[in-house]
Amino acid sequence: MDDLCSLSGLDPLWGPPQWAISTQGPPQLALSSQGPPQLALSTQEPPQLALSTHGPPQRALAAQGHPRLTLAAQGPPQLTLSGSAVSHPKKQAVLVTEDLPAVLLSHAAMSQNPFKPAYNIPQNPAKAPSTNKQVLRNAVQLHKAKSLLDKFGLEVLWQDWNLTWYTPHPDLTQCFQHTVLVWLPCLYLWLGAPFYLVYRRFRDQGRISVSALCGAKTALGLCLASCGLVELLYLLVKRSRDIEHHMIFLLGPSIRTLTMVLAVCIVHVERMKGCRSSAFLFLFWALAFVCSLVPLRGHVQAIAEQGFSGDAPRFLAFFTCFSLQLAQLVLSCFADQRPATLRPACVKNPCPVEDASFLSKILFWWFSGLVTQGFRSPLKAEDLWSLREEDTSEKIIRDLVREWTTRGVNPQQQDKCESPPRALSYRITEQTQLLLKLRQEQGSGLLLLRTLAKTFGPCFLTGTLCLIVQDAFMFSIPQVLSLLLGFVRDEDAPLWKGHLFAVTLFLLSCLQSLFNHQYMYTCFTVGMRVKTAIMGLIYRKTLIINSAARRACTVGEIVNLVSADTQKLMDFVVYFNAVWLAPIEIGLCLFFLWQRLGPSALAGIATVILIFPLNGLIAKMRSKLQEVQMKYMDGRIKLMNEILNGIKILKFYAWEKAFQEKVLAYREEELKALKKSQILYSISIASFNSSTFLIAFAMFGVYVLTDEKNVLDAQKVFVSMALINILKTPLTLQSPSCPPQAVVSLRRLGKFLQQDELRPDCVVREPYSPGECAVTMSHPPGDRDGTSVVIKNGTFSWSRDGPPCLKRVNVEVPHGSVVAVVGHVGSGKSSLLSAMLGETEKRSGHVTVKGSVAYVPQQAWIQNTTLRENIVFGQERRESWYHRVLEACALLPDLDVLPGGDATEIGEKGLNLSGGQKQRVSLARAVYRTADVYLLDDPLSAVDPHVGQHIFHKVIGPKGILRDKTRVLVTHALSFLPQVDLILVMVDGKITETGSYTELLGRQGAFADFIKTFAGNERRESITFRGTRKSVSRLSMTDFSIDLSREQLISGDMVGASIPTVETLADSEQNQDPEELGKLTEADEARTGRVKLDMYVEYFRTIGPALIVPIIFLYAFQQAASLGYNYWLRLWADDPVVNGTQTDADAKLAVFCALGFAQGSAIFGTTVAISLGGIMASRHLHLDLLNNVLRSPMQFFERTPSGNLLNRFSKEVDAIDCMIPEGFKMMLGYVFKMLEVATIVLMASPLAGFVILPLTLFYTFIQSFYVATSCQLRRLESVSRSPIYTHFNETVQGASVIRAFRVQPRFILQANSRVDHNQTAYFPRFVATRWLAVNLEFLGNVLVLAAAIFSVTGRATLSPGIVGLAVSHSLQVTGILSWIVRAWTDVENNIVSVERVKEYSETPKEVSLQFLPLSTAAWTTENRPLPSAWPQTGTIEFQEYGLQYRKGLDWALKEITLSVQEREKVGIVGRTGAGKSSLALGIFRILEAAKGKISIDGIDIAEVGLQDLRSRVTIIPQDPVLFSGSLRMNLDPFDSYSDEEVWRALELAHLKSFVSGLPDKLQHECSEGGENLSLGQRQLVCLARALLRKTKVLVLDEATAAVDLETDNLIQSTIRTQFEECTVLTIAHRLNTIMDYTRVIVMDRGYITEMDSPRNLITKRGHFYRMCVEAGLV
C-alpha cells in the first residue's frame, strides 16, 4: 500500500479522502493529452495538490480562501481559486495553467456523496504523451489501491499528508475524526479492562456504598451510551444509502456505546472492590477528551462559517457528548468515600493520600493542606498525619521478619552445619576459622539485600517503571529540539510548526517531571519502609544476641547502625535504579550522538571509558576511607556513651579533660579520613561536572578535524549538547558517593544481624503442674509438689570459645522452697542464675525450668518512666496487690518523699533513686509479677540492714508473700541462711556443698569454717557479700549498664527527694500538681519557625571570611567560564559555511578547550574549599558541644535522656560533617547556573524578562511556603528520633530482665511505636520535596515554553545558534529551580543540626568552671592562686551549710555546722533519706551550697576552681565505674604516675596478683563499663585510684558494699594504714567498719542528730545505739 502511494507521489496517512475531481457532475479525474494530469482538491475542504511536469510550484486558494500548494515544473500559476466560486453548488472554479487541461472543481458534485470519491480514468491511457506515462501509471496504481480499500470498507483509513502536515493550516479529515479518534480511547479501555479487572480482583479493599459521585458517573455514562445509540439509529434510518457500501461508519457509534456501558460496569466493579479513585478510568476520559478536541475545532469553525442552524442536530449531538465527556473527566478528578471496612475508627488524623484522587496523587495536591497549615503557623507533632497501614512498623517488620527467617539461617545452625566432626576439629587452624567467619559476615550483607529486595521489590518495581517512562520522555526532548532548530533555519516553514514544537517541548518536559517525581516518591516510600524494617530487625536482634556478641557490639555501635547506616541504605534505595539504568542511558545517548556526528561519537565513548576507571579508583579509595571513618565514629560514639553513663565519676575525679582528649583523638582521625574522602570526592565531582565539556570537546574536535567538510551547525551543536547534558546525569550517578557507602553499611548491618544468638534449647521451659511429685535432695516424697528448676550435669560458659564458668553442676530446686546460693567473689553465683535463665552457652547437660520466671538482677535495671510503671511493668493494675507489694518491699516511706508519689518519673538508669531504692523497685517489679520461680541475684546488698531484714521476712522468707513460690536467692547475709530450705555453696564454678544450714554446719566443711570465722561479730547483720565473677573474656547481660552511683544526686537520702531542673523555679511551684512535680526528664522539643540568621552567622563564622570570599569568587569564575564556552559554541554554530567548510576550526577548538578546562579547575577548587570549610566548622561545633556537655551540671544529665545527647553526637554531627557542605555545594552551584541560564535567555529574547520576573515572584512565593513547613518537619523528625535511641539503649541494658519476664512483644511494640512516631514526621518531609519539585518544575517548563515561543516568533531576527543556546539552556531550568530550593531547604534543614548542637551551649554550666583551651592550664582557681600542696592538713569545716536541690522543695541539708580536724576519721550513718550522700555532693560541689559554706584548710571551696577542688579531694564511690580502655588508663588517665607507682597502688589494693596474671598486664583492655572484671575487682580498682592520688581528704561512699567480707577486711586495713595521715569521711551501711573511727555523725532528715565517738554514742543509747542493736553489734 505504501509503495503504491509513494509511486503516485502521495504519502499515506490513516484517514478518509476528502477530494472530488470533476469537469461536470460527479467528481472525476480528467487527464489531458496536451499535458500531464493535474489534481486539484476542493469542496468544503481546500484544494491540496496539483501534479505537473511543467510549470513551477503554484499556490491555489481553497474554497474557504486558504492557499494550498500545487506542484509543477514550469510555468507560473495562472489562476487562484476563489472561495466564493466554489461556495455555491452550481458555480465552478477552473484552474488553468499553460498547456494543461482544466480540472473543474464542483462543490455540487462533491455534496452528492461525501463518502466516495470518483475517478474518471481515460479509456486509452496509452495515447497519453510519453512524458505523462509515469504519472498515469501512478494514478492507475493509486486507483487500484483505493479500490482494494473500498472493497473492505476501509477507505476511511486513508489520509493525505498534504492536508495535515504540508500546509500552512493543518487539519484532519472528517472521516479520520469519526473513526480513529473515536476508536483510540475505546481500544485503550477494551484492551486494558481484562488486566485491570484481574488486578482489582486481588486488591479488594471493601465495598463502597453508592454515593452521589458514583451515581453521577453512572448517569453520565448511561447518557453517553444513549447518545451513541441515537447516532447509530440516525445513520441506519437517515443515511442508510450512504453507508450501504461503507459499513465501517456504523462501527463508531456502536463501539462508543458499548465502551460507555463497559465504563459504567468498571465504575461499579471499582465500587465493589473499594477503589475510591480510578487511574484507569481517568486516563480513559482524558484520552477521550483529547481526541474530541480536533472535532471540536472543526465544529466551531463550521458554526462560525455556516451558523448553528446549518446543521443544528449534528452540532447539538456533538456538543452534548463533548460536555458529558468533560463532566466525566472532571468527576474522575475526585475520590469516592472510604469503604466501611477502612474507615479510621481510632485514627486521629489519617493521611490524606488515602482519600486523594489519582490526579491529586500525581500532582501531590493532597499535600497542599499541610503546607498551608505550616505556612500559617509552625507545625506541631499533633498536626502530623498518622501513618498508612502499609507504612507502619507492625506490617513492614512482620513481612520482613518472615522473609528473613525463611532466607536466613540461625548462626548456631550455620555453625553446626559448618563445624567439622570432633575428631577433625583440631586440624582447623585459628586462621581458617577466622576466614570462615569473615566469609559468613560478607555473605550476610548480600543475604540482607536479597531479603529486602524480596519484601519491597514489587513496590520498588512500580517506581522503576515510572523511571523508564521518564527516560523515554527525556530522550524525546532533544529530538523535538532538533525539529525546532530545523524550523528556525527554514524560513519558509509555516509558523504553526514552530508553535507545535514549542508546545511539544513543554508537554514532554511536564510529563518527564511528573513521572520522575512519581518515581522519587515511590523510592523514598520504599526507603522509609526499609529504614523501619532495618530498625525493627536490629531491635529484635538486641533482644536475642548472646553475651559474647553483646561485648562485640556496644550501645554506641548499635546507635550508629540505627542512625547512620540505615540512612545510607535509604539513600541507596533512591539511587539504585539510576545506577543500573545509567549504562543504558549512556548507550542511548551515544547512539543518538552517532546519528548526529557519525563515527566522531566514538570519541565521546572513549572519554566515558576514560572517566570510568577514574571513577572506579576513587570509589575503591573512598570505600576504604568510609570504613575507616565509620570505625572512628563508632569508637567516638561508644566512648561518648560511656562518658554519659559515667559522667558523675568523671566529675568526682576531674577527669573531663582526659576523656575530652580521648574523644577528640577519635574525632581527629575521623575528620582526617573524611578530609581525604572529600578531596577525592572533589576530584570526582570536577571530572563529572566537566564531563559535558570533555565529551563535547572530544566529539566536536574529532568531528571537525577529521574532515574539513564537517561543519558544526546549530542543530548538531545544541542537540548534541542536550544529549550530553542527559549523559551527564548517569555519569554522575556512577559517582562513588552512594554505592560504596551502602555496601559498607549493608556489610555492617548484615554482620550485626548474623551475630550469635542465645540458644532457646539451653533451657527447657515447661508449664508448672502442681500435682507433680518428686523426690528432692532435701525433702522426702510428697513434701513438695515436684521440682521447679533442674540442672543435670550442666557445664556452661559465657561464649562458645571461652572457658567454662560453671562445671558439672547438678541442682534440683523443689517447688515452694527457698534456696540460697553463697560463695566468694567469682565463684559463679550469678552465672548459676544466668544458666537457669538461658543467658549462658550450654556446653553439656540439661536445664529445665517449670512455670513462669521473675528475675531480680544484681544491678537493678530501672526504666525511664514512672515508679508505678516500673513496678507494674505492663501488667494490669491490681490496687490491693500493688499496695501489698509496696509495703512488703519497704517502698511506702519512699512514696511519701517522692514529689509525685508513685507517679514520679524515674530518670534513666534510676538516676533519681538511691541504690537501695533501685534495688527495692526491681524487687517489687518481680514480686508484682506473681511468677512461679523467682531468681534473686543479691537484692539485699544495697539496702540498709534493717530494711534487708524487713524485705526478707515480708517477701523472701518462709512467712513472706512469696512463701508458696520457688525462690533462688544469691546472698551473703549470714543471718538469713538458717531460714532457707537449701544452701548451695559454690567455689570456682562448682557446687561443692549442698544442704540445709544445720546439715552444712554438721559436716564441718568449708562452709562451716566460714561461718565460724565471721558469725561471731556479724550475728544478725545483713552482710552484703556481693559480687559476680566475670572472667576476663566474659560479658554479663544483667549488668550492661553501670549506674552512676547508688546514692545518686537526687537520692532517697534527702528529704523531699527533689527533682532538679536547670533553671530556678518560682516559689509558686510549691503548689504544683504531683504529676508535674514528679516529672523529671524533658522531652527533646522542637523549635518553631524559620532557622534564625544567627545559626548561619555562627556556621560561617567558624569557617571564616578568608575561605568564604575565595569560594564565592571561584563559583563566579566557574560559571563565567561555563557561559563563555557555551556562548563560544553559539558563535561557532552561527559561523557561515564557505565552500562547504568553516574557517579557523583549530583556533575555535583551542578557545573552547581553554574555557572548558578553566571551568573544571574552578569546580575542583570550589568543592575542595567548601569541603574544607565544612570540616573546619564541624570540628569547631563538635568541640563546642563536647565542652558544653562536659561543663554541664549533674542536673542536666538527669533531666536529659542519653538518647538526646547521643543523637547530637551521632546524627546531628554527621549532618554537619557531610550534609551541610553538600547542600551548600549544590545550592551555590545551581544559583550561579540559574544566573547563567537567565543571562542567555535574555540575550536571545529580552522579552523573556516579562516571563522571568513573574516566575521569580511565584517561585519565591512557593519557596516561602515550602521552607517554613520543611524546616519544622525536619525539627520534628529530629526530635522524634531521640526516643528511639533512648529506648534502644534502655532495652540493651535490661535485655536479660526483658527475656526473663518474657515481655519481648511489649517492648517490640514500644519500639515500633517510637519508630512510627518518627516516620510520621519523615514521611511528610520527603513528600514536601516532591510537592515543591512538581510546582517548581512546572514553572521551569513555562520558561522553556516562553523561550521556545519567543524564538519561534523572532526567528527572522534570531540566528539558529542563539535559539539553540537559549532553548537548550532553558530546558535545564526545570531541574535547576527545583534543585536550588531543594538544596537551600536541605541546607536549612541541616542547619537545624547546628541549631540543635548549639542548643546545649545555651544551657547553664557548672559555677566557677573555666574550661580553657587544651593548650592552657584547665580549670584553675579564679580569684587567687591556690597553694600547690593544698590541702595540706585536710581540715574540713561546715558553717551553717544548707543544700537545696530546687527552690520550692525541702532542704536536703539543714544548718549543718561541723568541724573535722586533721587526720580525723569520721563515719556518717543514717537511715535512707537522711542526707548522708548530700554531704559528699556538697564537698565536691556537685551541687552548690544554697546557704553557708564549706572550707577546707581555711579556704572556701566556692572560691576554688572545680578542677582544682575535685582533683585534690578523692572519693571511692559506691558504684565502681570503669571505662573501655586499658587498665592503666582507668587508673591514671593523665599519665601522671610512673608504672612503679601504679604497681604499688595495685599491690596495696590487693590486685597485683590478678593483674600480673593477665596477658597484657597494665595494658589489659577493659570492656565497656569494665564488664570483664567482677564487681569486687572494679571496687578494688577504685581503691587503687585513691591510693595513687593520695590526697589529704578521702570520702568513702559505701565503698565496700560490693565486696565480700574478706576483701572488705583487706580494704579497711589498707585504708587505716595508707590513709592514716588523711582526713577520712565514710558513709557506711556496715556499722562494724566505723566502730574504731574517731567520731560518728548520725543524720536524720537533713540534720545532724548525734555526733560523738562510737563508744560515747552507744553509751547515750540514742539513734546510733538502736542501729547497732539492729546490726547485732551490741
Side-chain angles (χ1 to χ4, degrees), residues 970-1013:
V970 173
T971 185
H972 305 111
L974 303 185
S975 59
F976 302 144
L977 297 185
Q979 303 178 61
V980 303
D981 299 315
L982 182 66
I983 299 173
L984 305 178
V985 181
M986 299 200 68
V987 177
D988 293 333
K990 299 177 182 178
I991 298 178
T992 57
E993 296 181 80
T994 59
S996 65
Y997 185 77
T998 306
E999 291 172 347
L1000 292 178
L1001 286 180
R1003 293 176 189 170
Q1004 300 296 319
F1007 177 79
D1009 296 338
F1010 178 79
I1011 293 295
K1012 290 177 183 177
T1013 303

Side-chain angles (χ1 to χ4, degrees), residues 690-736:
S690 301
S691 61
T692 304
F693 155 74
L694 292 173
I695 296 171
F697 174 71
M699 288 193 299
F700 294 160
V702 172
Y703 183 72
V704 299
L705 294 179
T706 52
D707 189 348
E708 64 178 8
K709 297 295 184 182
N710 290 340
V711 297
L712 289 177
D713 57 18
Q715 272 184 304
K716 287 189 179 72
V717 169
F718 293 107
V719 173
S720 298
M721 291 301 293
L723 288 168
I724 292 171
N725 281 327
I726 293 176
L727 183 63
K728 181 179 174 180
T729 301
L731 284 177
T732 304
L733 289 173
Q734 294 297 307
S735 167

Side-chain angles (χ1 to χ4, degrees), residues 1407-1410 1419-1425 1502-1506 1508:
V1407 179
S1408 304
L1409 183 62
Q1410 290 185 338
W1419 306 3
T1420 56
T1421 302
E1422 295 181 357
N1423 297 330
R1424 54 183 177 173
E1503 299 177 359
V1504 179
L1506 287 178
D1508 291 329

